[in-house]
Amino acid sequence: MELNFDNSFAKELKDFYEFTKADRSTSPKLIKFNESLAKELGPEWEKLKSDYGLLIFSGNDSPKGSQPLSQAYSGHQFGGFSPLLGDGRALLLGEVIDKDNIRRDIQLKGSGRTIFSRGGDGKSSLGPVLREYLISEAMHSLNIPTTRALAAVSSGDDVIREKVLPGGILTRVASSHIRVGTFQYASTTGDIEKIRVLSDYSINRHYKNILQKKEKYIEFFEAVCESQLNLIAKWMGIGFIHGVMNTDNMTISGETIDYGPCAFMDRYDPNIFFSSIDTQGRYAYSNQPLILSWNLARFAETLIPLIDKNEQNSIDILTQKISSIRDKYEKAWLKVMSEKIGITKIQDGDLDLINELLDIMKNERADFTLVFRYLADFIIGKENLLINLFDNSKKINKWIINWKNRIEKEGKFDKSLCTKMKKINPLYIPRNHLVEYALDEALSKENYKPFYNLLSFVTNPYDEVFNSEEYTLPAPITDKPYKTFCGT
Ligand code: AMP
Ligand code: MG
């Protein structure tokens, strides 16, 4: 069978990859296939829920038209620069043009060693594969730009970590895998032409509207800033903590990528972080907007030679652009948060209103997701749902009076507002304890039912299902803080 590959990266960016072959999987099994995503990719992809599909998703056959390659990139990891990272455990099969005429990467993750593997085995264990499947698909359903999961496969091979684990491969779909780190890689070569070729390719692929612009590289920088700041504002609006915002994990397209130690918070705590490798909390929830600017400054550095012949002029222009990121981010965040509380047109005082709510939530450690969801229920008379999230109801009751007054300045405090807010504020998110349970059952007992169940809830996050409390409630408070692991 021929798949509709059309591989521009392999053709146009020859300095940015090495051709690679996937390892064989001993006895692969298809754990999950994403039929609705396959449909987007084209009719031939829909047929891959089959033995032939399993051959492809396990790396045991490379489909006709694919040109498997591993991409080169650099990256600042926790602030320290690594000049050569690259796909140490991933393989780009190629690109397809989907039914909406959008070019998308098809990548295998966990398919074996590449020239970028350094000391690693190029493999992934099944746990992180299932985790990325769940969370990336949940993010998509929450309307957050993200890479997608097309298939999860168990390889039948052992992967050695602290203990022996079952191996897995994820087939990932992305609008591209070009990262800030890809530009840093171009920059380390010292060859301006490489930076120009990569920039032109990226503009053509992601920001076509600026192709003809006179100052296209400045506009390119601004467009990437815009995409990334809107993305982070959306993360903040759903209590998502990425966990490894290294420059090699920040895409030029503005999609969320690399679901390693990420997590959603239950009770609101702006300083929270979960990653076991983030000892200082560099990538804590409330630091994400600061790291956004820091990463974009690293991106800007790579574009200096393209902006102006005079280096100082370039630096001045880019510095001015970087200094405006914070303000633009604040506006994007305010829009996200206002919509969450039912405000359409932002007015003076709305920022204070939102911050007052967050302050109460923080002091009472109220559940981030449920507070916003139950604000909607409050409107239709289910007041206790919200009030019960707070030990001390005095402050929240006072806030509600101000909120209701504010809403009534612009519209009605009625059922239609409730319905609107319920389309923005999810009821079901991949809560850490539910994800852990689903993965534990899958790995220790080969019981995939909790995984499939959870996937079905988090991919319909706004639609309430009768009698589903176990999927809505936060984890019980324990002495041991929840930690996530990078999962390689
Ligand atoms: P990540 O944590 O996915 O952002 O990966 C950071 C870097 O480590 C990337 O260059 C990966 O390709 C590489 N890497 C992660 N896990 C492995 C592994 N098991 N084998 C080889 N390289 C790896
Ligand atoms: Mg990465």
Side-chain angles (χ1 to χ4, degrees):
M1 193 201 317
E2 186 145 356
L3 293 167
N4 53 335
F5 281 106
D6 180 272
N7 305 327
S8 65
F9 196 97
K11 215 178 299 159
E12 295 175 39
L13 292 175
K14 291 198 189 310
D15 293 317
F16 292 86
Y17 64 83
E18 286 283 329
F19 286 121
T20 313
K21 268 185 82 163
D23 284 354
R24 280 196 67 77
S25 298
T26 307
S27 54
K29 278 193 201 129
L30 188 61
I31 307 290
K32 184 74 188 128
F33 178 68
N34 191 336
E35 285 164 60
S36 71
L37 177 58
K39 209 170 189 174
E40 290 177 22
L41 297 177
E44 51 279 50
W45 292 85
E46 287 183 74
K47 295 181 194 141
L48 296 184
K49 195 180 181 180
S50 60
D51 290 346
Y52 179 61
L54 184 57
L55 284 176
I56 294 172
F57 301 136
S58 62
N60 283 352
D61 192 10
S62 36
K64 209 169 153 200
S66 68
Q67 290 173 289
L69 59 87
S70 299
Q71 296 184 345
Y73 50 85
S74 311
H76 273 91
Q77 299 182 302
F78 293 91
F81 186 61
S82 295
L84 186 58
L85 291 169
D87 290 332
R89 55 168 162 165
L91 202 61
L92 179 70
L93 289 179
E95 300 141 37
V96 297
I97 312 292
D98 75 6
K99 71 170 183 21
D100 295 324
N101 220 15
I102 295 167
R103 179 177 293 277
R104 294 168 93 170
D105 278 6
I106 312 288
Q107 193 204 55
L108 300 185
K109 191 171 169 188
S111 53
R113 281 182 58 79
T114 77
I115 67 153
F116 304 112
S117 294
R118 293 166 288 156
D121 59 2
K123 302 279 186 185
S124 184
S125 62
L126 184 58
V129 167
L130 299 180
R131 196 163 197 281
E132 176 156 347
Y133 197 117
L134 261 176
I135 300 186
S136 64
E137 286 305 302
M139 291 287 271
H140 171 71
S141 305
L142 291 164
N143 300 316
I144 315 277
T146 175
T147 62
R148 305 284 308 275
L150 179 64
V153 160
S154 65
S155 63
D157 297 305
D158 289 342
V159 170
I160 319 288
R161 297 291 179 262
E162 296 87 52
K163 50 183 180 177
V164 179
L165 298 168
I169 299 173
L170 181 80
T171 304
R172 177 159 82 177
V173 177
S175 75
S176 90
H177 283 84
I178 303 169
R179 307 139 194 267
V180 168
T182 319
F183 279 79
Q184 292 180 296
Y185 176 75
S187 189
T188 57
T189 67
D191 180 347
I192 298 174
E193 266 325 291
K194 287 195 178 133
I195 308 170
R196 194 187 310 280
V197 167
L198 179 63
S199 300
D200 288 345
Y201 177 88
S202 304
I203 293 169
N204 191 36
R205 188 154 172 184
H206 296 296
Y207 302 101
K208 268 203 168 65
N209 58 322
I210 58 173
L211 261 179
Q212 305 303 331
K213 293 279 168 70
K214 217 170 109 226
E215 299 195 311
K216 72 173 170 181
Y217 299 116
I218 300 177
E219 300 227 12
F220 173 46
F221 179 66
E222 283 188 298
V224 175
C225 290
E226 199 69 31
S227 301
Q228 288 196 6
L229 70 88
N230 280 313
L231 178 70
I232 310 304
K234 287 182 177 168
W235 288 357
M236 300 301 277
I238 49 157
F240 177 76
I241 300 113
H242 181 279
V244 251
M245 287 177 71
N246 293 333
T247 55
D248 52 305
N249 290 337
M250 300 308 296
T251 58
I252 294 305
S253 66
E255 281 183 345
T256 315
I257 196 171
D258 277 5
Y259 292 87
C262 65
F264 284 75
M265 72 168 114
D266 284 342
R267 293 167 182 83
Y268 180 54
D269 172 4
N271 297 321
I272 204 161
F273 60 99
F274 297 96
S275 168
S276 61
I277 53 170
D278 190 0
T279 47
Q280 310 290 315
R282 178 181 169 91
Y283 298 136
Y285 175 76
S286 58
N287 271 355
Q288 296 186 127
L290 304 173
I291 295 292
L292 158 83
S293 294
W294 194 91
N295 286 339
L296 286 168
R298 304 290 78 72
F299 177 46
E301 284 163 4
T302 71
L303 297 180
I304 291 171
L306 301 186
I307 303 288
D308 196 292
K309 282 193 196 79
N310 179 314
E311 187 177 291
Q312 193 53 49
N313 282 351
S314 286
I315 293 172
D316 290 347
I317 292 167
L318 288 164
T319 306
Q320 188 266 326
K321 301 289 173 203
I322 292 164
S323 60
S324 68
I325 293 172
R326 185 73 202 190
D327 203 37
K328 288 181 183 164
Y329 164 79
E330 297 287 355
K331 285 205 176 83
W333 178 83
L334 183 57
K335 186 159 183 293
V336 166
M337 297 308 287
S338 316
E339 283 173 358
K340 283 179 79 69
I341 62 167
I343 292 172
T344 313
K345 262 201 179 144
I346 296 163
Q347 296 180 359
D348 282 352
D350 290 345
L351 178 62
D352 290 341
L353 188 68
I354 291 160
N355 281 331
E356 280 161 26
L357 174 63
L358 290 172
D359 239 22
I360 301 169
M361 286 164 62
K362 180 176 127 192
N363 292 334
E364 299 251 351
R365 302 217 60 199
D367 185 79
F368 187 87
T369 304
L370 292 183
V371 166
F372 292 101
R373 179 73 181 197
Y374 289 165
L375 281 175
D377 280 306
F378 187 96
I379 299 170
I380 53 166
K382 294 182 186 172
E383 298 171 358
N384 282 343
L385 286 174
L386 178 71
I387 303 303
N388 289 345
L389 297 174
F390 299 87
D391 291 332
N392 177 351
S393 58
K394 218 165 125 198
K395 284 196 174 143
I396 191 68
N397 276 321
K398 194 164 157 239
W399 184 87
I400 286 165
I401 295 169
N402 294 336
W403 171 54
K404 188 164 182 271
N405 286 338
R406 167 61 186 88
I407 294 290
E408 285 172 344
K409 269 198 216 164
E410 118 176 353
K412 287 200 176 116
F413 198 75
D414 65 0
K415 192 159 183 271
S416 74
L417 179 65
C418 165
T419 309
K420 192 169 144 199
M421 284 173 65
K422 283 189 173 180
K423 288 187 184 140
I424 293 171
N425 295 301
L427 182 57
Y428 308 108
I429 53 156
R431 291 185 183 272
N432 302 320
H433 68 289
L434 300 174
V435 174
E436 288 305 295
Y437 175 70
L439 299 193
D440 194 46
E441 286 290 301
L443 300 178
S444 62
K445 300 184 196 149
E446 289 192 46
N447 171 20
Y448 292 101
K449 214 166 160 238
F451 170 76
Y452 297 137
N453 282 347
L454 181 57
L455 185 64
S456 120
F457 275 100
V458 299
T459 50
N460 293 288
Y462 305 107
D463 303 333
E464 186 166 355
V465 175
F466 186 63
N467 254 346
S468 61
E469 280 72 23
E470 68 177 293
Y471 290 95
T472 62
L473 297 178
I477 297 176
T478 58
D479 295 341
K480 210 170 135 229
Y482 180 74
K483 282 282 155 212
T484 55
F485 297 89
C486 223
T488 52

